[in-house]
């Protein structure tokens, strides 16, 4: 809520009527708060200032419909307000969490009656019996439910539906740090050697650049500078295939990454393969605006699930149980740092949103260091 507007009116009885504008409700109807004050105009003005201070501090009751808003209804309202800013995957994930974990336990509770104690009891319930068929949920899953509640309740505070957010101070279960399973580069090189041309190129790019799956899927030929051996990541894709949605990268920034000669050669080999395939179906030459890894109809990016499934098949065949495609990104950072690349350069290659994610205490990233990093990955992958 912005600055609260108020007015004074002298009533025939001699009292003063204070009228404050509280904004609009869900239907667009304007909301007001009125109060009659006996005494002088100065006293009425003082009372009005006090009321405005209470409203702006959040100490004002909403309408009756807002007071009865339940925990079930709040995430839906919060999601409606944010749907344009979320990817389809994020929206579905939030909805599943709300419906599967939150609603069955506290869905009918009014948000203005949701206390810190009740929230902490809810988290303990999830830990003991919050999963399917009454199975326990992990601390990580409970933390996820908490995060959604915290964000939705913060929105309710902004909307002046409740005066404060109990989730901000509620204790949550301790989550142990996730231990990434980092594949060794000999195994990655072996997988590349066994993969089909498309997947071999995808895996090579993933380990050489640290790119996320969605960033690789969203690459266009115009993003690749063969002469300078540079790759520009400026978009990402969610739910590939005909239902794909192209969006900004996770950090909403554009990153330019150097790669070595061997990696660029593999990209050129893939383009030649694609050019031949396009010619056979009568599509002609590949345009700069075309997808590097297209779907079968050539009009959309390859589905991200396809990348995951192809990786899973290859990884399982090489004994990499539990190693995700995303772990190739962690492998990039781990092996570069282990072989002497400064952390600042690694952070730049991974396009981290915050340098602190990769220990921002090192020298500034330079073009030479970045090029050396690209060559190093090639050397490690192609060593005899």
């Amino acid at each position: 809520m912005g600055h609260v507007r108020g007015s004074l009116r002298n009533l025939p009885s001699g009292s003063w009527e204070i009228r404050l504008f509280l904004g609009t409700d869900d239907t667009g109807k304007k909301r007001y708060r009125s109060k009659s004050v006996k005494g002088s105009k100065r006293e009425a003005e003082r009372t009005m200032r006090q009321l405005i201070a209470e409203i702006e501090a959040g100490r004002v009751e909403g309408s009756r419909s807002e007071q009865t808003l339940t925990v079930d209804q709040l995430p839906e309202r919060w999601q409606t307000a944010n749907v344009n800013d979320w990817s389809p995957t994020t929206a579905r994930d939030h909805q599943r969490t709300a419906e599967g974990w939150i609603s069955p336990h506290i869905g009918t509770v009014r948000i203005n009656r949701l206390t810190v104690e009740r929230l902490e009891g809810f988290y303990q319930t999830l830990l003991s019996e919050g999963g399917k068929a009454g199975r326990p949920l992990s601390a990580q899953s409970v933390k996820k439910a908490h995060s959604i509640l915290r964000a939705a309740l913060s929105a309710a505070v902004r909307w002046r539906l409740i005066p404060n957010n109990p989730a901000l101070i509620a204790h949550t279960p301790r989550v142990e740090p996730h231990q990434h399973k980092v594949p060794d580069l000999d195994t990655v090189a072996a997988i590349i050697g066994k993969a089909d041309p498309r997947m071999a190129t995808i895996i090579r790019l993933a380990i050489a650049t640290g790119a996320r799956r969605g960033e690789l899927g969203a690459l266009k030929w115009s993003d690749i500078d063969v002469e300078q051996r540079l790759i520009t990541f400026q978009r990402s894709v969610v739910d590939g295939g005909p239902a794909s949605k192209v969006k900004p990268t996770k950090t909403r920034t554009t990153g330019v990454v150097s790669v070595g000669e061997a990696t660029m050669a593999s990209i050129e080999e893939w383009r030649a393969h694609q050019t031949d395939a396009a010619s056979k179906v009568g599509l002609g030459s590949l345009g700069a605006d075309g997808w590097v890894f297209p779907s079968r109809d050539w009009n959309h990016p390859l589905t991200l699930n396809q990348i995951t499934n192809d990786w899973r098949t290859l990884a399982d065949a090489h004994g990499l149980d539990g190693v995700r495609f995303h772990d190739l990104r962690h492998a990039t950072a781990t092996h570069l740092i282990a072989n002497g690349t400064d952390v600042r350069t690694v952070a730049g290659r991974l396009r981290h949103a915050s340098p602190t994610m990769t220990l921002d205490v090192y020298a500034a990233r330079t073009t030479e260091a970045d090029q050396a990093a690209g060559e190093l990955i090639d050397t490690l992958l192609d060593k005899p």
Side-chain angles (χ1 to χ4, degrees):
M1 181 182 293
H3 181 67
V4 177
R5 290 174 291 165
S7 63
L8 280 177
R9 183 167 69 97
N10 192 214
L11 301 175
S13 63
S15 298
W16 293 89
E17 181 190 52
I18 300 171
R19 186 172 171 83
L20 304 177
F21 176 59
L22 303 181
T24 58
D25 61 17
D26 292 340
T27 66
K29 183 179 179 181
K30 293 181 178 179
R31 298 172 54 233
Y32 294 91
R33 182 175 181 183
S34 299
K35 183 179 180 67
S36 296
V37 178
K38 294 181 179 180
S40 67
K41 184 178 182 180
R42 179 175 295 179
E43 290 172 330
E45 289 173 340
R46 182 169 60 250
T47 300
M48 183 170 70
R49 287 194 297 271
Q50 291 173 346
L51 286 174
I52 289 174
E54 290 178 2
I55 292 170
E56 292 182 339
R59 297 189 301 273
V60 61
E61 293 184 353
S63 66
R64 183 171 182 80
S65 63
E66 290 167 339
Q67 288 179 312
T68 59
L69 193 71
T70 65
V71 172
D72 256 352
Q73 295 166 324
L74 179 61
E76 181 179 349
R77 180 166 171 177
W78 171 61
Q79 182 156 331
T80 299
N82 291 277
V83 67
N84 292 330
D85 296 327
W86 293 346
S87 72
T89 302
T90 298
R92 282 197 303 272
D93 192 45
H94 287 347
Q95 185 173 355
R96 290 192 189 111
T97 299
E99 293 177 353
W101 301 339
I102 299 174
S103 180
H105 300 283
I106 57 171
T108 59
V109 178
R110 296 179 185 179
I111 60 172
N112 63 337
R113 294 184 178 178
L114 195 60
T115 63
V116 173
E117 183 179 10
R118 193 156 196 172
L119 277 177
E120 291 178 351
F122 163 60
Y123 300 150
Q124 291 303 314
T125 298
L126 290 184
L127 281 175
S128 61
E129 56 183 77
K132 290 183 179 180
R135 291 193 293 269
L137 277 184
S138 67
Q140 184 66 48
S141 296
V142 176
K143 192 85 168 182
K144 186 176 182 179
H146 162 76
S147 296
I148 289 176
L149 274 174
R150 183 181 61 192
L153 289 167
S154 289
V157 172
R158 291 196 306 274
W159 298 333
R160 294 296 188 258
L161 306 185
I162 52 176
N164 52 61
N165 181 354
L168 291 178
I169 57 175
H171 288 297
T172 55
R174 178 181 175 83
V175 178
E176 296 299 328
H178 176 68
Q179 298 297 320
H180 300 297
K181 296 184 177 181
V182 178
D184 66 84
L185 292 183
D186 287 340
T187 304
V188 174
I191 289 175
I192 291 174
K194 293 292 185 180
D196 61 66
R198 180 183 67 192
M199 200 60 194
T201 308
I202 290 173
I203 295 172
R204 178 118 199 177
L205 271 174
I207 194 70
T209 66
R212 300 175 178 90
R213 186 184 59 160
E215 294 171 339
L216 292 168
L219 277 177
K220 294 186 175 184
W221 289 113
S222 58
D223 298 322
I224 298 175
D225 185 333
V226 175
E227 185 175 334
Q228 298 296 320
R229 300 204 312 272
L230 297 174
I231 298 178
T232 300
F233 295 100
Q234 56 184 316
R235 69 189 77 82
S236 186
V237 67
V238 179
D239 293 337
S244 63
K245 178 180 178 182
V246 178
K247 63 183 185 66
T249 60
K250 184 176 181 180
T251 57
R252 296 186 177 274
T253 58
T254 295
V256 181
V257 179
S258 301
V259 295
E261 291 182 7
T263 292
M264 188 54 70
S266 72
I267 295 172
E268 291 185 275
E269 288 177 12
W270 170 244
R271 181 156 193 172
H273 183 279
Q274 285 293 83
T275 299
D276 182 58
S279 177
K280 288 179 179 179
V281 296
L283 293 178
S285 61
L286 299 178
D289 200 45
W291 302 107
V292 174
F293 305 109
S295 60
R296 288 184 178 180
D297 64 5
W298 295 81
N299 296 321
H300 304 280
L302 177 70
T303 65
L304 302 188
N305 283 338
Q306 186 67 57
I307 295 176
T308 297
N309 293 338
D310 287 352
W311 166 257
R312 184 75 273 133
T313 299
L314 290 163
D316 287 347
H318 287 78
L320 296 183
D321 182 43
V323 177
R324 308 163 301 165
F325 183 85
H326 189 75
D327 288 325
L328 292 172
R329 177 174 168 85
H330 301 305
T332 302
T334 300
H335 292 300
L336 284 176
I337 292 172
N339 284 274
T341 305
D342 69 84
V343 179
R344 180 83 179 190
T345 298
V346 175
R349 290 182 70 82
L350 297 185
R351 300 164 304 286
H352 278 158
S354 169
T356 58
M357 296 178 68
T358 39
L359 307 177
D360 185 22
V361 294
Y362 290 85
R365 179 180 182 227
T366 64
T367 301
E368 292 79 14
D370 189 44
Q371 290 173 344
E375 290 290 349
L376 176 57
I377 283 290
D378 276 358
T379 301
L380 294 171
L381 279 174
D382 299 325
K383 65 184 180 181

